[in-house]
Amino acid sequence: MAPTAAFVAGASLPGRAAGAAARRAACRGGPAWWTGPTARPSSGGGGMLGRRSRRPAAAAPMRPATSASGAAGRVRMAASASASAAGGGDSSGETGDTATPAGRLAALRSVLARRDLYAFVIPSADPHNSEAPPPAFCRRAWASGFTGSAGTALVTATDAYLWTDGRYFLQAEAQLSPEWTLMRAGMPGTPSLADTLASTVPPGKVVGIDATVQSVDEGRALAAALSGGGGGGGGGGGDGDGGEEVPPRRLSYVTSNPVDEVWGAGRPPLPGGPVRVHPARVAGEDVAAKVARMRSVMSERRADALVVCMLDEVAWLLNIRGEDVPHTPTVLSYALLTADDVRFYVQPGKVLPGSDAERHLATSGVSVHAYEAIMEDVAALAADGKSVWVDAASASVAIYEAAAGVDRANEAAVVTAPSPVSAAKAVKNAAELAGMRAAHVRDAVALVRFLTWLADTVAAAPTEGVRETVAADVLETYRAGVPHFLTPSFETISGSGANGAIIHYSAAGAGSTAAVTADDMYLLDSGGQYVDGTTDVTRTMHHGTPSAYQRGCFTRVLQGHIALASAVFPPGTTGLMLDALARLPLWRAGLDYRHGTGHGVGAALNVHEGPHSIAPRPAANGTALAVGMVVSNEPGYYEEGAFGIRIENLVEVVPAETAGSFGGGGYMRFRELTLVPLDRGLIDVALLSDAEVAWVDAYHARVWAEVAPGVEATGDTRALDWLRCHTRPLEPVGEVRGEGVAAVAAA
């Protein structure tokens, strides 16, 4: 997944389509950093970003929270996590037509004006900075109408902006109403959110944020933007033209999110699924061992406590899983570690009395506490002068404020380093890798059977074809028949023709009636969550006769994929250093793609995980690849209005055998986890070098050897024949291979 009429007249749909449709519908230690503007609470709003006056009630650290006070009271968890379906707003909801984008904007601006807020920032995240939050936290999607997983909205008194990255430009253009301005993040000439605030917010005006869903790093950027001069013709402090003091611009917390007030009773409730135990045979390491590793790192950083905010980090650390986030087996929760205590903060009722989860947590030395109590306990630690570790990239401003204490008396003791859980989780142990390999083989069996069905169905009705949405549902049906399947690992991207050029396309979200036919390219990006692993695979195919240009483009993408797959690299190599390998064959033909080449993948966890990635962004240079990591290899090419191409395999980082051992050796390479045939009909063999042909043939030979037994065991002889045909060696073309024949350049 990139760093996101009936199918045949008279045909019937294999089961589970209703369940798939329902799931799709769920949710379309440094210096002080609040420097510059003097922040204050908004009307009806919460805590100040400047000085504090209230102190928490005296109590021992780590006590259960019974009421909100002090730092916890200033920024309440309930502001964003109320169990009330209405969202806990200041009123029962604004009147007016909120069924339309224009009506929602008007209602939201009415709330902002009543609270004396000039602007309000709406990120995509929940309190845990989740990429795909539970439906109750999909505020940006509800307010803007844009349902992509990445984006930030800014609503001011006069304008509405939506920032998103290159994966979603086409989708955002289609989904945003005329009242919204699309800000193409990363493109030349597009100002950032911080730049826009700096240049447009007038002196004396207030910008609101929900501190429970704004990360520390994001909060720093917004505060810095408002502390500067300019903005609507005035400065953020200092003298005006007449020598008069220019009132500063202010950043303010809100105690209840304005979007929730407008959303009203329509806001979905918080998820209520139970916690389940992640089997020890799959986890490969018990909770005690993981906690001991974290405490060792905490000791090195002289941290008395570690706040674990990211949902996948909590799940990994405590060997638990859940169903609170669509497509991701995580639980809405926090964990808090000290030298002698491990606390798990979760909504009441999610750890069922007498359940395996209750016994597992108890025997692992983990105590269970109310979800909202995290703020009070962190504030209590701060009141006692304890050093609290929070990850500034993922922890919320609210968590940071609690750790900093009253009047920021404890701020110097706050550790704002990357979470040690993230780095530990990224390197899979032997049991996790074994589970990932097994899950990928089972997943490949399901995909082979589906691709056989799809090819036969399109061949039987080449013009009518199969609807994109139906194809996604049928694929889920095949996966559901595989042992240990739970859910898709993300909403399937099923894009035919021009829809394939929308990088994170949602056929259901677009209300598409388009079909996979024999006339168009088809891009299928899908994955599964299994008890023992997570899969993510993209294949591009054509069920008819592709043009020479399409074959040329596909082959360039394949060459980029092979180049990265074949890389051998020394210790210390980051994804930024490798990214260009996948792009060079496309660059030679004047092609490229607007997304990263690879993202980390969790073991029976998030389909997107960090801290490692393969991308041209500076962030991809922060973490070196290491043996045991899992990452995707997915170059692509997208021609707007025509077709999209992406080839994605998940790979594990393994030791490489090299003749030399410069620098002490330790060289690494990639080994494919994904085992699904490539579309032979889209490969222009004349463009490939002998080494590239050998790579394809070796890959297909391995696919046959490892997947065929599973297909045969299903009794699906047609799928076995299809697999045999699509894994045979490439046919020689009788001419020199390589750059001498360039269908792309000639087309």
Side-chain angles (χ1 to χ4, degrees):
M1 174 176 155
T4 232
F7 58 107
V8 177
S12 61
L13 173 65
R16 289 177 60 98
R23 272 189 291 277
R24 285 197 304 270
C27 181
R28 295 288 193 245
W33 52 272
W34 292 112
T35 56
T38 302
R40 61 171 177 77
S42 65
S43 300
M48 302 168 64
L49 296 180
R51 294 184 58 81
R52 308 291 194 257
S53 58
R54 292 180 291 169
R55 294 184 178 275
M62 303 298 294
R63 67 195 184 287
T66 56
S67 64
S69 62
R74 289 192 301 272
V75 187
R76 297 174 185 266
M77 286 299 299
S80 287
S82 170
S84 166
D90 290 345
S91 70
S92 59
E94 287 292 302
T95 60
D97 178 17
T98 58
T100 66
R104 292 175 186 180
L105 273 179
L108 182 56
R109 285 183 174 129
S110 176
V111 174
L112 298 184
R114 176 160 46 79
R115 299 190 187 187
D116 195 25
L117 294 173
Y118 175 79
F120 187 68
V121 179
I122 313 172
S124 299
D126 59 13
H128 308 272
N129 204 33
S130 302
E131 179 184 29
F137 295 104
C138 292
R139 298 183 175 103
R140 186 265 301 152
W142 183 84
S144 69
F146 168 65
T147 60
S149 66
T152 301
L154 172 67
V155 176
T156 75
T158 57
D159 297 290
Y161 305 92
L162 187 285
W163 281 262
T164 191
D165 60 53
R167 296 172 298 171
Y168 294 107
F169 290 167
L170 295 180
Q171 179 179 340
E173 288 171 358
Q175 291 184 326
L176 290 176
S177 65
E179 295 85 8
W180 287 85
T181 299
L182 173 59
M183 308 296 281
R184 294 173 173 80
M187 298 299 290
T190 299
S192 66
L193 168 61
D195 290 339
T196 300
L197 288 175
S199 64
T200 61
V201 177
K205 296 299 182 181
V206 181
V207 176
I209 64 170
D210 183 340
T212 67
V213 296
Q214 205 83 47
S215 76
V216 178
D217 282 346
E218 291 165 347
R220 285 172 170 163
L222 299 181
L226 291 175
S227 68
D239 295 335
D241 293 339
E244 297 181 358
E245 183 76 12
V246 177
R249 299 173 296 189
R250 302 176 180 90
L251 190 65
S252 174
Y253 300 153
V254 296
T255 53
S256 63
N257 195 298
V259 176
D260 295 348
E261 184 173 343
V262 178
W263 207 344
R267 184 187 177 206
L270 293 178
V275 175
R276 64 177 172 86
V277 180
H278 188 52
R281 62 177 175 77
V282 178
E285 184 179 16
D286 63 22
V287 176
K290 292 179 178 181
V291 168
R293 284 207 279 157
M294 296 306 102
R295 283 175 173 156
S296 176
V297 181
M298 289 165 59
S299 177
E300 293 173 3
R301 298 301 297 260
R302 298 184 178 180
D304 298 308
L306 170 67
V307 184
V308 184
C309 298
M310 296 287 284
L311 301 185
D312 62 330
E313 294 184 15
V314 177
W316 178 87
L317 180 67
L318 302 184
N319 285 344
I320 58 168
R321 297 294 188 268
E323 52 187 46
D324 287 353
V325 179
H327 312 301
T328 304
T330 52
V331 181
L332 197 66
S333 59
Y334 292 91
L336 181 62
L337 273 67
T338 66
D340 53 9
D341 200 4
V342 182
R343 291 198 162 201
F344 176 48
Y345 298 86
V346 68
Q347 295 170 68
K350 295 183 74 66
V351 179
L352 301 177
S355 65
D356 289 343
E358 184 182 59
R359 288 188 291 272
H360 162 74
L361 292 168
T363 57
S364 299
V366 179
S367 57
V368 181
H369 302 267
Y371 180 74
E372 293 84 0
I374 181 67
M375 291 294 180
E376 194 75 7
D377 286 354
V378 172
L381 287 167
D384 275 5
K386 301 297 185 181
S387 175
V388 181
W389 186 339
V390 299
D391 186 336
S394 59
S396 69
V397 171
I399 290 287
Y400 180 91
E401 288 287 303
V406 176
D407 293 328
R408 293 204 179 79
N410 199 53
E411 188 168 34
V414 179
V415 177
T416 54
S419 169
V421 181
S422 177
K425 173 173 57 65
V427 179
K428 278 61 178 172
N429 60 44
E432 290 172 320
L433 289 171
M436 289 287 278
R437 294 169 193 144
H440 275 82
V441 172
R442 297 195 307 273
D443 195 66
V445 171
L447 267 168
V448 165
R449 298 187 67 203
F450 165 76
L451 292 173
T452 304
W453 171 86
L454 182 63
D456 289 349
T457 306
V458 173
T463 303
E464 297 169 346
V466 178
R467 279 193 180 181
E468 296 169 331
T469 52
V470 172
D473 290 343
V474 173
L475 173 55
E476 182 175 343
T477 301
Y478 277 106
R479 279 198 168 106
V482 171
H484 309 308
F485 174 77
L486 298 171
T487 68
S489 56
F490 54 94
E491 182 183 352
T492 295
I493 300 169
S494 175
S496 179
N499 292 336
I502 302 173
I503 297 173
H504 275 188
Y505 172 69
S506 168
S512 173
T513 59
V516 183
T517 70
D519 298 326
D520 294 307
M521 300 268 276
Y522 176 53
L523 188 152
L524 178 68
D525 187 348
S526 69
Q529 290 286 5
Y530 297 86
V531 171
D532 52 351
T534 302
T535 71
D536 180 5
V537 49
T538 308
R539 289 295 181 264
T540 306
M541 61 207 78
H542 199 300
H543 293 97
T545 304
S547 69
Y549 177 67
Q550 290 172 326
R551 294 177 67 228
C553 291
F554 179 90
T555 305
R556 295 304 186 189
V557 174
L558 175 60
Q559 288 176 309
H561 182 97
I562 294 171
L564 182 58
S566 305
V568 175
F569 46 93
T573 299
T574 65
L576 178 65
M577 300 175 186
L578 297 178
D579 182 79
L581 294 177
R583 297 179 192 269
L584 185 56
L586 288 97
W587 289 346
R588 287 175 177 149
L591 309 177
D592 204 348
Y593 50 97
R594 289 195 181 110
H595 59 74
T597 301
H599 57 82
V601 180
L605 270 175
N606 291 14
V607 75
H608 284 177
E609 78 165 13
H612 58 294
S613 64
I614 301 174
R617 302 182 303 274
N621 206 39
T623 300
L625 296 173
V627 170
M629 287 182 171
V630 173
V631 67
S632 66
N633 173 4
E634 50 182 312
Y637 174 66
Y638 311 90
E639 191 149 310
E640 184 175 353
F643 60 84
I645 299 168
R646 186 159 63 251
I647 302 172
E648 177 185 18
N649 284 348
L650 297 192
V651 297
E652 58 177 302
V653 182
V654 299
E657 294 182 4
T658 57
S661 57
F662 180 82
Y667 283 71
M668 293 165 279
R669 65 178 181 87
F670 297 120
R671 184 177 189 271
E672 281 68 34
L673 287 167
T674 303
L675 297 170
V676 178
L678 303 163
D679 189 337
R680 300 164 54 84
L682 281 170
I683 300 175
D684 186 343
V685 182
L687 285 172
L688 299 180
S689 68
D690 288 339
E692 290 166 337
V693 169
W695 186 93
V696 173
D697 287 347
Y699 176 71
H700 279 158
R702 185 176 163 222
V703 170
W704 170 258
E706 297 193 32
V707 179
V711 175
E712 187 173 20
T714 68
D716 191 338
T717 57
R718 174 69 187 106
L720 189 63
D721 289 342
W722 183 94
L723 179 62
R724 181 183 291 107
C725 177
H726 285 77
T727 55
R728 69 184 189 276
L730 292 176
E731 299 292 335
V733 296
E735 55 187 292
V736 177
R737 296 191 182 103
E739 296 298 327
V741 180
V744 174

